[in-house]
Amino acid sequence: MSSTPQDPNPQGPDYGRQPGGHPGQYPPPGYGQQPPQKKSKKKWAIGCLGLIVLVIVLFAGCSALLGGGTDDPAPTSGETSSTPSSAATEDAPATDETPATAESGPAEAETEADNAEQSSATVAQRNAIRSAENYIDFSAFSRSGLIDQLEFEGYSTADATFAVDSLDIDYNEQAAKSAANYLETSAFSRSGLIDQLMFEGYTAEQATYGVDQTGL
C-alpha cells in the first residue's frame, strides 16, 4: 500500500523562505508587492500647454499696453524739416518794396502822361511823332537837330517840337553814337570832336559825355 507524500511544512507555506533559498531567510524589501506604475505623461503635456498659453496672453497684454502710448504717428522727415524753415520765413524781415515803387512811380506817371498827350494829338502831330521815331531808329540826333530835320520835311515848328518832346530820348546816348560815327569816317581831336557835336545841337555837357565814351 502506497503512502501519500506528506507536506514537509504542515503549518502552511513558509514566507520566510525564498524559492530556492534556505529556511530562516527573510524576503527582500518589496518582495511580494506589485511594481509601482509610471505616471502618465498626459498630465505633464497639458500643464506645459497651459503654461505656453499663459505666456502668450501675458505677451499680448504687454504689447497692447506699450502700443497704446504711440497712437500719434511720428512726423515724417518732410514735416520735421518744414517746421524750421517756416519759422525762419516768419522771423525773416520783410523786404521793403517801397523804394522800388517810389522810383518806378514817377517814370510810370511820365509814361502815362506821354501816352495821354499823344492820344490827344492832332493827325499832323501823330505823323511827326512817327517820323521822329523813324529818324531816331536810323541815326543819332540832338534835340534841336531832330526838330530841324522834321521842319525840313515840312512839319511846322510846333508839331516838330511836340513830336520830339513827346518821345523819351537819352541825348547823352545820342551824343555818344554821333561821336562814334564821326570817328569811323574821319579823324578828330578831342576838342574838335566836342565842337562838332555842339555844332549839331548837342549841349556842351552832352558833347563832352559823348566824346568821353569813345575814349578820346
Side-chain angles (χ1 to χ4, degrees):
M1 183 173 182
S2 62
S3 60
T4 304
Q6 295 182 356
D7 188 356
N9 188 8
Q11 295 180 356
D14 188 0
Y15 293 100
R17 184 178 61 182
Q18 296 182 5
H22 302 281
Q25 293 181 347
Y26 293 94
Y31 177 77
Q33 299 180 3
Q34 294 183 357
Q37 297 181 358
K38 296 182 179 180
K39 295 182 179 180
S40 175
K41 296 182 178 181
K42 185 175 182 180
K43 294 182 179 180
W44 181 82
I46 293 174
C48 292
L49 181 60
L51 182 60
I52 293 173
V53 172
L54 180 60
V55 170
I56 293 174
V57 171
L58 291 176
F59 181 76
C62 292
S63 299
L65 291 175
L66 294 176
T70 57
D71 293 338
D72 298 333
T76 60
S77 60
E79 295 175 352
T80 304
S81 61
S82 63
T83 303
S85 48
S86 300
T89 303
E90 293 177 358
D91 295 339
T95 55
D96 189 6
E97 297 181 357
T98 305
T101 305
E103 292 177 359
S104 60
E108 292 178 357
E110 185 177 354
T111 302
E112 292 177 359
D114 292 341
N115 293 334
E117 186 178 1
Q118 292 180 12
S119 63
S120 61
T122 63
V123 175
Q125 290 173 340
R126 288 197 294 269
N127 288 336
I129 292 172
R130 292 177 59 187
S131 296
E133 291 174 340
N134 292 335
Y135 278 116
I136 288 295
D137 291 339
F138 175 74
S139 183
F141 287 89
S142 65
R143 180 179 180 276
S144 60
L146 186 56
I147 292 174
D148 291 342
Q149 183 65 36
L150 292 177
E151 289 179 347
F152 178 79
E153 286 198 7
Y155 293 103
S156 66
T157 303
D159 291 342
T161 303
F162 176 87
V164 171
D165 290 342
S166 66
L167 300 179
D168 185 15
I169 301 174
D170 185 354
Y171 291 107
N172 284 333
E173 181 182 355
Q174 296 296 312
K177 290 181 180 179
S178 295
N181 292 336
Y182 276 115
L183 290 178
E184 288 178 357
T185 58
S186 182
F188 286 88
S189 65
R190 174 179 173 81
S191 60
L193 187 54
I194 292 175
D195 292 340
Q196 181 64 34
L197 293 178
M198 292 177 64
F199 177 79
E200 287 197 7
Y202 294 104
T203 64
E205 291 78 7
Q206 294 168 356
T208 302
Y209 176 87
V211 173
D212 289 342
Q213 301 311 304
T214 64
L216 185 62

